[in-house]
Amino acid sequence: MRYQKFLAPLVFGLGVVTAGVATAQTLTIGVRGGPESMDPHFSALGSHAEAAKHIFDTLVWSGDDLQIEPGLAVSWTSVDEDTWEFKLREGVKFHDGSDFDAEDVKFSIERIPVVTGPTTTAIYVRRVESVDIIDPYTLHINTDGQAATLPNDFIRLFIVSSDAAADYSTLETSAEGFNSGVATIGTGPYKYTSWEPKGDLVLDRNSDYWRGEGAWETVIRREIPNDSSRLAALKAGQVDLINYVSSVDYLALERDANIDAVKGDSVYIMNLQLDQREDTPLVRAIDGSDLAENPFRDLRVRQAVDHAIDRQTMVDIVLEGLGRPANQMMPAGFFGSSENIPMPEYSPTKARELLADAGYPDGFEVDLYCTADRLPGDGAICQGLGQMLTQVGIKTNVNAISKTVYFPAQARLEYSMFLNGWGTLTGEASYTLGGLAHSNDPEVNLGAYNRIEYENDDVDMLLQTGATMMDEAERRATYEEAMEKVMADKAYISVVQLQTVWGAKAGMFEFNPRLDEDTLAFFIRPAP
């Protein structure tokens, strides 16, 4: 995988170690968002997976820079056109002392489509048709044709205990088993102790972890959605480390000798999404009357929206420099991103001309929805977009809401315009374009996150063809062409690539920021 960084990650631990955290053996992390349940297969949201990674291992691991590495699988090989062989790590124990083996992998793969919630995790096993157990530590994964990126998909394949979860593997029973801890039996670095929704997740060290023993005897992940409250908790010593320091607070922390602030690149891109259905619910004329048709189905209107966005100002002013303008749905250099896509021109004049040409000289009104508690700056970016669009005649009512309300409504297709962060967690385009830009087609298991009913037959063909290409150069060129077509259609308008900031007690920790923004206790160490 290739990618480009725009700021090198730093490491905590620049000051003097004091007594306290390093000897207390308890690490308390203040996080902006926590899990939606304790079932790792319920949600694909980053905050959910981040919490799950403390308890459960994935079959394939994703490193700091999203490079794939052995996890519970030690190796993988394509043995024929539609079969991958995975060799499993031997000697791994679940938290209850039972052995991990191939039965648990097969069980986990087959369980995901049954128990997943509205933010579906089925995209990680969408290419799997069946699983054959060759021996306790060898599996053959049979796919629906050539599946070159299957190992990449498995970076979010959490392995649960087939014994512990056996009675808790339906939508009706999974929450009971996992939220109580009865089925929350993983092989990961920490064991489940307790969880309060929207509160604390308490974990105890797994002394038999196959990677080695973690530094902390107890880990508490405390959910504090409000950015100011989370920072206040850090300054008051109520937590040791926090994620998602706001851009405004980051500038202030640079002058605070008691806090280390560390920034790292993020894989997340904020994309504005425009509903392509004939009838869309939240668009109207300026006087409140109904419009004859959905204006977002007109390319000129979508181009007007694109020209109305001042991406550089969004980065410089709204995000205080913590980001970069984005022209496509993946960071530059990722497999399938294209160097041929230009940065959109900011031109309010062109935007107004395009609206007039499309039959909207007086503009129209729309409700814009986004999260206010998921990714850094999400609500502020939304507010900025509202102002920019309103200035060209698209009166925009901004609704920055909790992710617990936003995502179910998005899944029910309740929005006409919405802003969504998306991270290409597998490092390649089939994950992003296959989920968002292919028409939603369960028969080919593509388009599961296409919630604007965007459809381009050429894009569909390219994505289906690319998914079967084992030749890396051909697959890359195919995905690049698909990306160019998607961005030219302007139904998805990429706005900014984010950057993330963590804060911690000065000089207390060593911690390497991850591109996927995960804050994982196992990889946080006391400063030497």
Side-chain angles (χ1 to χ4, degrees):
M1 182 197 72
R2 296 179 301 155
Y3 66 92
Q4 296 175 341
K5 292 184 174 182
F6 55 99
L7 279 173
L10 304 176
V11 179
F12 289 127
L14 303 178
V16 177
V17 180
T18 60
V21 172
T23 56
Q25 287 298 295
T26 296
L27 176 68
T28 304
I29 306 172
V31 296
R32 198 182 197 208
E36 296 179 64
S37 80
M38 291 314 302
D39 187 336
H41 299 153
F42 180 73
S43 172
L45 284 181
S47 55
H48 188 86
E50 178 188 73
K53 285 180 181 178
H54 289 76
I55 303 170
F56 302 93
D57 283 310
T58 53
L59 193 63
V60 175
W61 181 248
S62 175
D64 291 351
D65 294 333
L66 305 187
Q67 73 279 11
I68 60 172
E69 302 172 355
L72 287 180
V74 295
S75 66
W76 43 89
T77 309
S78 174
V79 294
D80 60 39
E81 285 192 352
D82 55 7
T83 307
W84 281 86
E85 180 176 273
F86 283 78
K87 292 287 189 181
L88 305 183
R89 190 176 301 276
E90 298 185 29
V92 175
K93 298 281 189 182
F94 281 102
H95 297 161
D96 62 1
S98 60
D99 292 325
F100 156 75
D101 63 22
E103 289 284 355
D104 303 299
V105 178
K106 176 179 170 65
F107 176 82
S108 297
I109 290 174
E110 294 173 348
R111 182 179 186 276
I112 287 175
V114 178
V115 301
T116 186
T119 312
T120 181
T121 54
I123 58 171
Y124 301 115
V125 295
R126 68 188 188 281
R127 301 299 310 275
V128 178
E129 287 219 322
S130 62
V131 180
D132 295 328
I133 295 175
I134 306 305
D135 63 47
Y137 297 101
T138 306
L139 289 154
H140 280 180
I141 311 291
N142 306 304
T143 58
D144 59 349
Q146 291 184 328
T149 61
L150 191 72
N152 300 76
D153 291 344
F154 283 173
I155 63 163
R156 284 285 185 91
L157 171 52
F158 290 102
I159 305 303
V160 302
S161 163
S162 56
D163 290 334
D167 294 333
Y168 305 103
S169 292
T170 67
L171 272 177
E172 294 74 25
T173 60
S174 63
E176 175 191 352
F178 279 83
N179 293 352
S180 68
V182 173
T184 321
I185 307 297
T187 60
Y190 288 92
K191 301 178 181 179
Y192 174 92
T193 297
S194 65
W195 176 58
E196 178 184 352
K198 305 300 178 187
D200 287 0
L201 170 61
V202 182
L203 305 160
D204 285 340
R205 181 165 55 202
N206 174 14
S207 298
D208 297 323
Y209 188 44
W210 59 270
R211 290 180 190 266
E213 195 172 72
W216 312 102
E217 184 175 331
T218 301
V219 171
I220 302 171
R221 291 175 55 85
R222 179 161 298 158
E223 192 168 340
I224 310 174
N226 182 274
D227 291 345
S228 298
S229 299
R230 201 164 55 256
L231 179 59
L234 175 62
K235 289 184 173 181
Q238 297 168 352
V239 300
D240 301 309
L241 182 151
I242 62 172
N243 66 358
Y244 294 150
V245 173
S246 73
S247 53
V248 174
D249 290 333
Y250 169 64
L251 295 178
L253 287 184
E254 286 189 315
R255 301 184 295 273
D256 189 335
N258 297 315
I259 304 294
D260 283 337
V262 174
K263 57 186 175 184
D265 298 341
S266 168
V267 72
Y268 284 90
I269 301 237
M270 301 300 289
N271 298 300
L272 189 62
Q273 304 189 34
L274 307 178
D275 187 15
Q276 296 301 291
R277 292 174 292 176
E278 290 188 5
D279 295 318
T280 192
L282 301 177
V283 179
R284 64 198 76 86
I286 292 295
D287 63 4
S289 62
D290 292 338
L291 292 171
E293 56 189 14
N294 174 6
F296 295 133
R297 288 173 61 84
D298 190 318
L299 176 60
R300 293 168 295 184
V301 173
R302 302 196 298 272
Q303 290 171 329
V305 172
D306 200 26
H307 281 302
I309 299 171
D310 184 348
R311 291 167 171 80
Q312 193 61 55
T313 293
M314 194 72 78
V315 170
D316 293 342
I317 305 300
V318 177
L319 295 177
E320 301 282 1
L322 293 176
R324 69 186 307 178
N327 63 349
Q328 55 193 298
M329 298 160 73
M330 299 194 306
F334 271 44
F335 190 97
S337 63
S338 173
E339 297 179 353
N340 297 324
I341 298 174
M343 185 60 66
E345 177 190 6
Y346 169 56
S347 175
T349 301
K350 283 187 178 178
R352 294 189 190 94
E353 291 173 353
L354 285 161
L355 285 174
D357 289 346
Y360 302 98
D362 298 323
F364 56 86
E365 183 174 355
V366 62
D367 299 334
L368 167 62
Y369 278 82
C370 63
T371 57
D373 57 359
R374 182 187 172 218
L375 293 171
D378 47 7
I381 295 168
C382 213
Q383 294 289 349
L385 282 174
Q387 294 177 24
M388 292 174 184
L389 295 174
T390 298
Q391 286 177 357
V392 302
I394 302 173
K395 183 182 177 183
T396 304
N397 308 309
V398 175
N399 299 272
I401 60 179
S402 168
K403 64 180 184 295
T404 58
V405 177
Y406 171 87
F407 281 107
Q410 187 210 78
R412 296 191 295 268
L413 309 186
E414 293 183 359
Y415 302 145
S416 296
M417 173 191 276
F418 54 98
L419 181 74
N420 214 101
W422 180 275
T424 304
L425 300 171
T426 64
E428 46 75 44
S430 70
Y431 176 76
T432 291
L433 296 182
L436 292 170
H438 193 285
S439 55
N440 191 342
D441 187 349
E443 289 193 5
V444 294
N445 295 313
L446 291 169
Y449 282 97
N450 180 352
R451 285 161 178 170
I452 57 173
E453 297 201 359
Y454 167 72
E455 187 170 350
N456 180 320
D457 291 342
D458 289 342
V459 170
D460 285 1
M461 181 196 67
L462 288 166
L463 294 178
Q464 290 183 36
T465 302
T468 65
M469 288 178 167
M470 301 302 285
D471 182 273
E472 183 174 313
E474 290 183 354
R475 192 167 71 254
R476 180 190 295 274
T478 300
Y479 284 138
E480 288 177 356
E481 184 179 355
M483 181 66 80
E484 291 163 11
K485 290 182 179 296
V486 172
M487 300 320 296
D489 282 341
K490 306 293 183 187
Y492 292 96
I493 296 177
S494 300
V495 180
V496 293
Q497 180 185 352
L498 299 175
Q499 193 171 38
T500 303
V501 177
W502 288 262
K505 295 176 179 175
M508 302 294 282
F509 304 101
E510 288 187 337
F511 166 53
N512 194 31
R514 290 175 56 88
L515 202 56
D516 57 14
E517 303 183 356
D518 281 354
T519 307
L520 304 178
F522 181 76
F523 297 98
I524 300 171
R525 301 277 171 176

